[in-house]
């Protein structure tokens, strides 16, 4: 049997008639940017996430970069300010910070949950700290009340990188469900094709309740203009196009169902993977995890990966080299981040997705359990 890591063709096939109708509608309309499709998706996504505003942008990196840039334009951030961020994240989170002449201050994740260790944050706060950027990595909610309280006590912005966790919920003590992307001051979302809500190319969005910030991001993503040919900022071109917006609007309707399927596959993995060489991350309280990825840890990770590959089970590593060890970030190479290093050496993501069936999941489990 061959089990793909993620078969995007099968994911698209789940809703392809509606998606093709939506694309044809845009093609026939003759209107391809800044039109009704984008407005409609922005409204529906803001409602879904539970924020007042959603601004469609070109991709997730731009969403992150524009949030920070907009905070600079409205005077909340300045060159050299420090942003606390988990050290185990996709490079884009860090690029957005350094691209804005801000300083990433790396926090360790927890080895058992793989998201930022909230007990490791307070000691990192200095008088230059202005924000905590949490990353809901792998679809796991990184928000905790402790992080919220730290932001309140030190007057820090709480920012979310929600690229990997569309539809993930945090349950308050009053049992109210709040979506990741609505838990802080602003959140960046990527709709890269393989994401839980994936477009047919690059796409992204920012969600926020802050009107000033939303207006600044809207302008900055459209050359910095406030009215056609009038520029308040030195902006860029980073817009969500009409075809991507129409596709995303169709897929948004099925996101909760697709996430439910991921959760059922994950339950199956949790119940049936049983191999002392393979550690499954702890389930987090107060959240429903949308399993963008299903990471496991093994101190024989590379052997495990080739064993699975030989049995037809495809897996990927997220991520083999942390940001502070990348060639482009030589300035951080002396940092000691042992938990982040362990995760980069032991993490393996096994097949997961809305089109993965239970026969495939069963085969994945059987092969993992056979690894010795
Ligand atoms: C955690 C995280 N942040 C940011 C990004 C950047 O998104 P994009 O690829 O749309 O630029 C990604 C995705 O690729 C991601 O996984």
């Amino acid at each position: 049997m061959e089990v793909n890591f993620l078969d995007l063709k099968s994911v698209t096939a789940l809703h392809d008639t509606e998606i093709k109708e939506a694309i044809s509608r845009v093609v026939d309309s003759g209107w391809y940017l800044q039109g009704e499709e984008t407005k409609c998706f922005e409204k529906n996504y803001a409602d879904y996430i539970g924020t007042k505003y959603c601004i469609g942008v070109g991709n997730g990196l731009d969403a992150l970069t524009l949030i920070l840039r907009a905070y600079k334009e409205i005077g909340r951030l300045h060159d050299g300010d420090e942003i606390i961020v988990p050290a185990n994240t996709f490079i884009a989170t860090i690029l957005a910070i350094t691209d804005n002449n801000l300083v990433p201050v790396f926090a360790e994740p927890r080895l058992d949950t793989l998201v930022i260790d909230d007990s490791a944050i307070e000691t990192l706060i200095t008088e230059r700290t202005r924000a905590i950027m949490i990353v809901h990595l792998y679809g796991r909610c990184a928000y905790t009340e402790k992080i919220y309280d730290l932001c309140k006590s030190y007057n820090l912005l709480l920012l979310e990188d929600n690229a990997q966790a569309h539809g993930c919920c945090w349950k308050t003590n009053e049992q109210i469900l709040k979506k990741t992307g609505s838990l802080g001051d602003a959140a960046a979302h990527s709709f890269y094709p393989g994401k839980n809500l994936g477009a047919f190319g690059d796409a992204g969005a920012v969600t926020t309740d802050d009107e000033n910030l939303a207006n600044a991001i809207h302008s900055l993503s459209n050359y910095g203009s406030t009215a056609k040919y009038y520029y308040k900022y030195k902006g860029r071109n980073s817009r969500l196009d009409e075809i991507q917006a129409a596709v995303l609007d169709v897929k948004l309707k099925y996101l909760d169902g697709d996430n439910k399927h991921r959760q059922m596959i994950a339950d199956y993995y949790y119940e049936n993977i049983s191999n002392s060489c393979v550690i499954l991350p702890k389930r987090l309280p107060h959240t429903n995890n949308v399993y963008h990825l299903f990471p496991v840890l093994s101190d024989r990770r590379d052997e495990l990966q080739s064993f699975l590959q030989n049995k037809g089970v495809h897996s990927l590593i997220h991520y083999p080299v942390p940001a502070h060890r990348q060639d482009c970030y030589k300035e951080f190479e002396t940092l000691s981040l042992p938990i982040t290093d362990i995760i980069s050496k032991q993490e393996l993501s096994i097949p997961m997705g809305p089109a993965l069936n239970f026969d495939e999941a069963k085969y994945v489990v059987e092969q993992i359990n056979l690894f010795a």
Side-chain angles (χ1 to χ4, degrees):
M1 193 182 220
E2 200 75 15
V3 185
N4 287 319
F5 179 71
L6 173 68
D7 179 359
L8 277 183
K9 212 168 152 182
S10 310
V11 173
T12 301
L14 296 172
H15 317 295
D16 72 341
T17 310
E18 255 187 281
I19 289 172
K20 284 174 183 159
E21 275 167 19
I23 293 175
S24 296
R25 184 177 68 235
V26 180
V27 171
D28 293 346
S29 76
W31 195 280
Y32 307 121
L33 270 170
Q34 297 178 295
E36 289 309 312
E37 301 284 349
T38 304
K39 266 193 217 138
C40 177
F41 172 70
E42 286 175 338
K43 169 153 193 347
N44 290 339
Y45 195 63
D47 289 349
Y48 177 81
I49 294 291
T51 53
K52 286 193 195 142
Y53 307 98
C54 166
I55 308 102
V57 297
N59 55 67
L61 172 58
D62 282 358
L64 287 160
T65 309
L66 285 163
I67 289 172
L68 297 170
R69 172 76 193 280
Y71 274 122
K72 289 180 82 179
E73 294 292 352
I74 63 180
R76 237 351 252 276
L77 292 175
H78 299 92
D79 281 359
D81 284 348
E82 294 173 1
I83 315 288
I84 295 175
V85 62
N88 66 324
T89 182
F90 180 60
I91 195 74
T93 325
I94 313 302
L95 290 172
I97 297 173
T98 55
D99 193 45
N100 275 295
N101 294 323
L102 301 164
V103 180
V105 174
F106 296 102
E108 285 270 59
R110 284 176 59 118
L111 193 54
D112 57 351
T113 65
L114 310 179
V115 291
I116 194 166
D117 181 351
D118 61 7
S119 70
I121 295 177
E122 194 161 10
T123 52
L124 300 174
I125 297 175
T126 71
E127 69 240 24
R128 292 311 301 261
T129 310
R130 294 289 175 273
I132 301 176
M133 169 79 79
I134 54 174
V135 182
H136 306 299
L137 202 68
Y138 309 125
R140 304 173 72 80
C141 178
Y143 175 88
T144 64
E145 273 165 356
K146 185 165 183 173
I147 296 176
Y148 177 85
D149 292 343
L150 283 172
C151 288
K152 287 286 155 234
S153 348
Y154 290 91
N155 191 25
L156 307 176
L157 293 165
L158 176 53
L159 309 176
E160 298 173 81
D161 181 338
N162 198 42
Q164 299 193 2
H166 318 129
C168 183
C169 290
W170 162 264
K171 203 187 274 172
T172 66
N173 289 333
E174 297 73 40
Q175 307 298 304
I176 297 166
L177 290 179
K178 292 184 79 182
K179 294 250 166 51
T180 57
S182 72
L183 300 169
D185 295 288
H189 309 255
S190 161
F191 305 124
Y192 176 82
K195 296 292 198 262
N196 289 35
L197 179 59
F200 283 2
D202 278 318
V206 173
T207 51
T208 182
D209 282 335
D210 182 335
E211 188 179 3
N212 273 342
L213 186 81
N215 288 339
I217 291 172
H218 198 257
S219 294
L220 283 165
S221 64
N222 190 30
Y223 307 106
S225 69
T226 39
K228 201 165 187 185
Y229 304 131
Y230 290 85
Y231 307 98
K232 182 170 178 182
Y233 310 109
K234 298 183 185 95
R236 62 169 71 188
N237 176 1
S238 181
R239 299 178 298 214
L240 179 66
D241 71 63
E242 292 282 284
I243 288 185
Q244 300 306 341
V247 168
L248 289 167
D249 211 39
V250 170
K251 292 180 81 176
L252 181 58
K253 289 190 287 181
Y254 301 105
L255 177 60
D256 286 342
D258 290 350
N259 284 342
K260 187 88 217 136
H261 182 85
R262 290 172 184 271
Q263 285 154 356
M264 278 161 31
I265 297 277
D267 286 345
Y268 183 79
Y269 283 162
Y270 272 106
E271 279 154 27
N272 294 288
I273 293 178
S274 156
N275 183 329
S276 55
C277 304
V278 179
I279 295 165
L280 309 189
K282 215 164 104 183
R283 299 210 202 208
L284 295 160
H286 290 288
T287 117
N288 69 347
N289 195 338
V290 289
Y291 297 100
H292 171 55
L293 296 167
F294 195 95
V296 302
L297 297 184
S298 173
D299 56 10
R300 292 168 57 209
R301 188 261 315 271
D302 295 347
E303 276 176 76
L304 173 65
Q305 186 172 35
S306 359
F307 175 85
L308 294 176
Q309 184 69 28
N310 289 336
K311 303 287 182 184
V313 174
H314 300 267
S315 59
L316 289 175
I317 296 168
H318 297 94
Y319 299 92
V321 183
H324 71 288
R325 298 208 177 277
Q326 294 287 350
D327 285 348
C328 64
Y329 283 127
K330 287 260 186 281
E331 64 271 41
F332 302 124
E333 71 185 357
T334 55
L335 290 178
S336 167
L337 294 157
I339 308 288
T340 302
D341 286 336
I342 291 175
I343 294 172
S344 71
K345 290 192 179 85
Q346 297 197 354
E347 194 277 345
L348 191 68
S349 303
I350 60 175
M352 172 53 79
L356 188 76
N357 66 46
F358 279 88
D359 288 338
E360 292 171 315
K362 188 164 175 268
Y363 183 72
V364 172
V365 168
E366 279 163 9
Q367 298 315 311
I368 291 178
N369 290 348
L370 282 175
F371 176 66

